[in-house]
Amino acid sequence: MLFDRTIDVLLVEDNPGDSRLIQISLSEQHEVRFRVRVCEDLASACSCLAAARFDVVLLDLFLPDSQGLRTLERLMVATSEIPVVVMSGLDDFTTAMQAVQQGAQDYLVKGKGDGELVRRAILHAIERQRFRRQLLMAEAAFRHTDTGMMVTDAHGVVVRVNPAFLDVTGYGADEVVGRMAPFLRSDVHDSDFYRDIWKRLGETSTWEGEIWTRRHNGEIAPDWLRINGVTDPSGGVVGYVVVFSDITFRRRAEEELVRQATTDPLTGLPNRALFQKLLVSGLERARRYDRHLGLLFVDIDGFKQVNDRFGHEGGDEVLREVARRLRRTVRVSDEVARLGGDEFTLLLSEVKTGNDAETVAAKVVQVLSEAFSIEDQPLVLSASVGVAISPGDGRDAESLLRAADEAMYRAKRGGKNRYALASAAPGQTPPPVPS
């Protein structure tokens, strides 16, 4: 059943005979129950509308206190949310069209048609008003949501866009409507990517995922896109609704979380967690291309005295300066990390011979022996460095790191301010680095 409750009708009619006929015709309907209240002029009708709830108004245009379309106009001020069916003795096409244009759901001529016509007009008016209300709500959501929306026809030609779409992309409506949707494409994705989207739409009428699009100013930005096909009753696609959100800020937030999780907050270098991943991936690349990977394990000699003398703020400044010097010592393709405390590591990519790693280790010892300035006071430090090279000193991350660590301790036992090779003979003492 379309209607399963009583329909409350406000009948605005000053002719007792016409009023009685309408009430009788409505009472003859058994599937739907109509409850009718009669007002004989516009003023009392407006009062009724203010005091009670009605589902529909049957309105005669010619009343004692109002005449013609002015009657409808005044009533619509009082009841724009309630469907109105005009019933008039005036059989005039122009008047009927104007009535509909002013908001009436239907225009019936008295004496033409039977009671079934009136009943059907009432039910259709209520249903059309309900549908109109849904359209208005959908339109409000379309216009006022902060999510970009684009509507296309079945061929991908843009039919409508909402204000949020224009705000995000920087386009004007006249620059978008009538164009093919692919004008938003960036050079980030290849043709296979877009082909897969259309394939999925053909199979399921929906696609969702991350996509990079081009803004009006030429910038490329990440969006989260959802495309839904709009189908007719037979199941054929008549268009598409594209909903997208700019996820630039989300991507930045995610990148910031990753940065915080993988970066040493004091020095800005990769932390232990990221270093482990860099070491594993570096070993895999070296193995794939039959190359060597150099690993230097650096420990600052006597760093505890720095904290005792200058406090933790002074110690932190020393560690930041150590990080800067180490970063300047190696190539851009090499990695420097802080494992914690005063322990640092250097990953040397594409090491050709052991001499290459030794050269870097000697330079590290030298630059870290140069005087620091803390609180305008000179401070001389030194470093002990262990050198390990894959695959000879270790084929996996754990064994290579252990070899570099043991070599570093050999350098400390040998007198500090020097480097030691993991491949050196047991008990061999590394020489100091010449100043």
Side-chain angles (χ1 to χ4, degrees), residues 138-290:
E139 178 67 16
F142 181 81
R143 293 189 60 81
H144 299 296
T145 182
D146 57 0
T147 301
M149 299 182 70
M150 176 172 64
V151 181
T152 77
D153 64 14
H155 304 290
V157 177
V158 180
V159 177
R160 289 194 67 192
V161 292
N162 70 344
F165 174 94
L166 303 177
D167 290 341
V168 171
T169 64
Y171 285 94
D174 57 338
E175 298 174 293
V176 174
V177 175
R179 296 182 64 180
M180 294 292 292
F183 76 88
L184 291 171
R185 284 186 181 180
S186 69
D187 298 326
V188 174
H189 309 289
D190 57 23
S191 57
D192 289 340
F193 176 82
Y194 296 104
R195 198 158 32 243
D196 289 342
I197 292 178
W198 281 106
K199 180 181 177 183
R200 178 65 64 84
L201 288 173
E203 295 171 348
T204 66
S205 293
T206 184
W207 182 88
E208 185 172 12
E210 184 176 320
I211 187 171
W212 289 77
T213 60
R214 187 178 301 278
R215 303 294 190 248
H216 185 266
N217 60 8
E219 292 182 357
I220 307 298
D223 294 314
W224 188 262
L225 225 68
R226 180 174 179 84
I227 307 174
N228 287 101
V230 181
T231 58
D232 58 22
S234 65
V237 175
V238 296
Y240 297 93
V241 175
V242 183
V243 180
F244 74 97
S245 302
D246 186 335
I247 58 173
T248 302
F249 292 111
R250 191 182 81 182
R251 286 290 296 270
R252 289 175 181 171
E254 291 172 350
E255 291 171 358
E256 178 61 18
L257 289 175
V258 171
R259 188 194 67 78
Q260 292 176 4
T262 59
T263 303
D264 172 48
L266 179 63
T267 63
L269 297 176
N271 62 10
R272 181 182 291 272
L274 180 55
F275 163 74
Q276 291 287 351
K277 295 180 180 179
L278 292 172
L279 178 56
V280 170
S281 62
L283 286 168
E284 289 177 353
R285 282 196 304 272
R287 193 159 42 243
R288 184 181 305 119
Y289 298 107
D290 194 23

Side-chain angles (χ1 to χ4, degrees), residues 360-391:
V360 177
K363 190 174 181 181
V364 167
V365 173
Q366 179 184 347
V367 298
L368 294 183
S369 66
E370 297 172 358
F372 293 76
S373 178
I374 305 298
E375 298 178 359
D376 295 328
Q377 300 181 48
L379 173 67
V380 177
L381 294 173
S382 65
S384 297
V385 181
V387 182
I389 301 174
S390 73

Side-chain angles (χ1 to χ4, degrees), residues 414-434:
K416 304 178 182 178
N417 193 33
R418 65 194 66 203
Y419 66 87
L421 303 178
S423 57
Q428 181 178 345
T429 301
V433 176

Side-chain angles (χ1 to χ4, degrees), residues 10 12 37-50 65:
L10 177 61
V12 189
R37 182 168 179 178
V38 180
C39 290
E40 296 183 353
D41 55 50
L42 184 61
S44 59
C46 292
S47 298
C48 286
L49 289 170
D65 55 350

